[in-house]
Structures are given as C-alpha cells and as structure tokens.
Amino acid sequence: MSRRIPLVRAAGLRPFLKCIAAHGISVERAMTDAHVDGYPWEQPEAPVPLAPLFTFLGKVAEREGLIDLGCRSLVAETLRDFGVTGNLVIGSRTPREALLRIARAMPWFCTHERIAIGAERGCPVVYTSFTGPFDPGGVHIAQQMTASLMAALVPPMAPGEPALLRVEIAPWAPASLDQLRAHLCDEVVEARSNVLALHFRKGSLDRPYPAPLDLKGPAPRMPLRWLRLGEEASLVEAVGVYLDEMLVEGTPTIDDAARAIMLSRRTLQRVLAENGTSFRELLDDVRRRRAIAEIEASSEQIGMISARLGYSSQACLSRAVRRWTDQTARDLRGATGDSREGAGARTRPADAQADAATWAADAS
C-alpha cells in the first residue's frame, strides 16, 4: 500500500503562532488541546502532520474570534519564517518568477498543497488547493495566509491600482468576507470548491521588481532526508519519518500516528501487519537508528539519550547497543567521536546536512 501522510514543514505554523501569542492567547494550551504540543517546532524544516495543524488553526480562530487569523499573521518577516521555501524567492526578478519558484518547491514544503498559475480572459490567476478531508476552518485560515502572501509579492501596477482584483476562497461558516475584503481586495467571494483562486490585473505578474527580491539574510540549511517530503512513499516509510521526528519531543503512540495519517488505530494496525511489520517494530527500528546516530555524533551522556528515546534506563540502551553493534556504547562513541569530544549538546551527523542553495536549484 502506498499512502502519503499529510505533512508540512514546522515552519508553516510559525507565523500563526506569533500572531496568536501577540493577541495574548496561550499558545501552549491551544496546542495541547489540538494534540500538537509535542511537535519539533524548534526545527523549522522538520516535517510534522498537517491534519492536526488545520484542526488547531480552525479551533483557535473560532474560539478566540480571530476569523481573519491568516491575514493578520502576515508580517514583514513571514517569508523568512517559512525557512528554505520562503528563501527561494531571493533573486526573483518578477512576481511570476517568485510565484513559480514557490509552486515548484511546494511538494518539498507540504505533501498535500499544490499551486498553479493559469489565466482567465487574459488575466493571470493563481490557484492553490489542499487535497484531503481537512478541517474547513483550518483550510480557510491557511488560504487567507496564502492569499495575503501572494498578494504581497505582486505590487500595485500604479498608485490606486492594486494588482489583486478578486479572491475566491474556501467556504467556512464563521468567516466574514467583509473582514477579508479589508485585508485583501474589494471582491472576495466563497469558492465553489476548496480551491483558492487569486485573480490579478493583466500584466501584473510580469512587471519587473525595482530590484531582485532579497530577504536580507542567509538561507537555512536542510537535512537531506527531509528534502523530498512530497515524494510518494509506502505507508511504512512515511510512518517511519513521522516517528523519527516525533521522538525529538517524546515517545509517540500508535494513536498519535493514526491521527497524523488520518486512519483509525485498527486500520493502521491492519495495514502495517499486511506489510509485515507493526507499530512497535517501526518504533524500535527508529529508536535504534537514532540512538546509534546520537551516540556517534555527540558527547552527550548516554543516560540523557536513553531517557529522551524512551528507554527505561541507561542499562537498557547499553544492552541494546551491544546487541545491535557488538560494541559497548562507549566503544561505539570512541570509534567515531574522538574528534568531537567536548562538543557538548547533541548534534545531527554532519552528512545529514545539505546546502539549501543546492536544494533551491533543484526546486527551481
């Protein structure tokens, strides 16, 4: 069975979290309520489950009366907040080039969002959509952000002539189109489907910027194993990626994984069994790979590593390492880490880093 877990880079939620906190709302409580408090937010390029994030956005926006949360969340640093994907617009000479770079990179940023540029009656139209049965409030709020961001990338043709003419946005019962008109343009209507359509003035996408876009800072670096987030993978492989990331903050459960992949617990168990494995076996395999990598790559105490990865004691991890490698944990570290003595806190292996500029070239 081939199935992609809906994933997005953790950076995708950063602008929303900043806006929520700025309104005096407890981000921690809201994230706990939506079961997303254990996600690795300190790693902006880490893939995290998309479905719970949409639920989180919809609930917070409705409960707190921030039904224009997506528009409010756009600030000057939003593109930089989006990490590598946001940095792809650096050097773009026209709005069309900037939008095309983002569209081509989208499979690397979010598995279930697509962007395309078309035309109607000679005017450019940008379409974006999320494919999946996601929370309608979350989809609507995310589309607000997308519309605001793309509108910001297309400057007015002249004073008093905004480039964005019409917005068709996914319906959501609590939404106020009047509020969105104040943020976006005079004509904002409900879309007939969940596809966001942004209608721009003729020629606006091809009008050169006064100077190529520059976000005033270096692009971040991205671990190699995250690069092709949107590639089709087996469910077993996808669950493995999910578990690897979730172990950063604690031990994920099968219920956490089922929620992320939008399956019931029993269906996930059945599908894994059909593929000759189980949730426990996948978790043990991820723990093994991460434990070996962390022992080799840092001088952190073995007891700290064992606690973070969910082992009941340091002795349990030590026995496991000997079973896996025929070496003690100390010998394993000594064989590979002499040059890293004193390095301090845990780091990822050096070969797990990729130059973002190389990745950007592949995406453009």
Side-chain angles (χ1 to χ4, degrees):
M1 178 179 180
S2 180
R3 181 188 180 95
R4 285 182 293 173
I5 295 181
L7 298 172
V8 66
R9 307 288 175 189
L13 195 64
R14 185 181 296 180
F16 300 104
L17 296 181
K18 287 184 175 181
C19 182
I20 291 168
H23 282 80
I25 300 167
S26 171
V27 172
E28 292 76 13
R29 181 176 65 84
M31 294 175 71
T32 298
D33 291 344
H35 305 287
V36 296
D37 52 313
Y39 290 4
W41 302 115
E42 77 284 358
Q43 300 179 64
E45 304 305 332
V48 295
L50 180 60
L53 300 193
F54 278 140
T55 302
F56 165 75
L57 290 177
K59 284 184 175 180
V60 170
E62 185 170 9
R63 183 178 65 223
E64 304 296 339
L66 293 174
I67 54 179
D68 56 347
L69 174 62
C71 294
R72 288 173 180 256
S73 297
L74 181 71
V75 293
E77 63 268 22
T78 294
L79 271 174
R80 284 206 57 78
D81 280 344
F82 282 143
V84 170
T85 304
N87 275 271
L88 286 180
V89 303
I90 294 175
S92 296
R93 293 156 293 186
T94 66
R96 185 181 298 275
E97 182 179 353
L99 294 173
L100 283 173
R101 288 188 182 195
I102 294 174
R104 290 168 182 159
M106 191 51 61
W108 284 264
F109 182 75
C110 180
T111 58
H112 285 58
E113 182 178 10
R114 293 296 177 266
I115 300 173
I117 300 178
E120 291 185 15
R121 299 177 183 177
C123 293
V125 183
V126 180
Y127 303 96
T128 75
S129 62
F130 293 99
T131 57
F134 300 117
D135 179 88
V139 170
H140 179 86
I141 295 299
Q143 288 190 353
Q144 288 182 20
M145 166 61 77
T146 299
S148 300
L149 180 60
M150 292 188 174
L153 288 172
V154 187
M157 297 288 286
E161 290 188 11
L164 184 60
L165 300 176
R166 175 182 169 91
V167 174
E168 300 168 21
I169 192 167
W172 181 41
S176 168
L177 298 184
D178 285 338
Q179 276 193 324
L180 298 188
R181 292 183 186 109
H183 288 290
L184 298 171
C185 66
D186 291 338
E187 190 174 357
V188 179
V189 300
E190 283 191 356
R192 296 178 182 177
S193 64
N194 282 333
V195 177
L196 172 70
L198 306 175
H199 298 253
F200 288 95
R201 196 178 297 274
K202 185 176 182 179
S204 60
L205 298 194
D206 300 304
R207 190 164 179 261
Y209 291 125
L213 288 184
D214 184 1
L215 298 186
K216 308 298 183 184
R221 297 169 67 83
M222 181 185 292
L224 280 168
R225 61 193 175 83
W226 294 342
L227 292 186
R228 299 189 178 274
L229 176 61
E231 286 189 341
E232 189 72 21
S234 71
L235 181 140
V236 172
E237 293 168 331
V239 172
V241 171
Y242 166 79
L243 293 177
D244 194 23
E245 296 311 322
M246 294 304 103
L247 272 175
V248 172
E249 299 293 336
T251 303
T253 67
I254 189 170
D255 290 325
D256 294 331
R259 188 182 303 114
I261 203 171
M262 297 190 296
L263 292 176
S264 69
R265 174 191 179 113
R266 293 186 64 179
T267 300
L268 178 56
Q269 289 174 321
R270 176 178 56 78
V271 172
L272 292 177
E274 290 172 353
N275 283 270
T277 188
S278 67
F279 181 82
R280 173 56 58 186
E281 289 175 354
L282 286 177
L283 182 59
D284 288 345
D285 182 62
V286 170
R287 274 190 179 137
R288 175 185 59 79
R289 289 186 282 106
R290 183 176 281 272
I292 292 174
E294 294 193 8
I295 290 171
E296 291 179 338
S298 81
S299 58
E300 186 177 14
Q301 294 182 356
I302 305 300
M304 296 294 291
I305 296 174
S306 67
R308 184 171 53 253
L309 297 184
Y311 289 93
S312 59
S313 67
Q314 177 177 334
C316 288
L317 175 57
S318 298
R319 287 194 296 271
V321 170
R322 182 180 288 277
R323 185 173 68 253
W324 298 328
T325 67
D326 289 329
Q327 298 182 77
T328 65
R330 183 183 298 274
D331 290 342
L332 180 64
R333 172 168 288 168
T336 59
D338 289 340
S339 63
R340 290 188 292 271
E341 285 297 323
R346 163 175 74 103
T347 59
R348 293 187 185 273
D351 63 0
Q353 296 293 325
D355 190 337
T358 302
W359 175 78
D362 289 341
S364 61

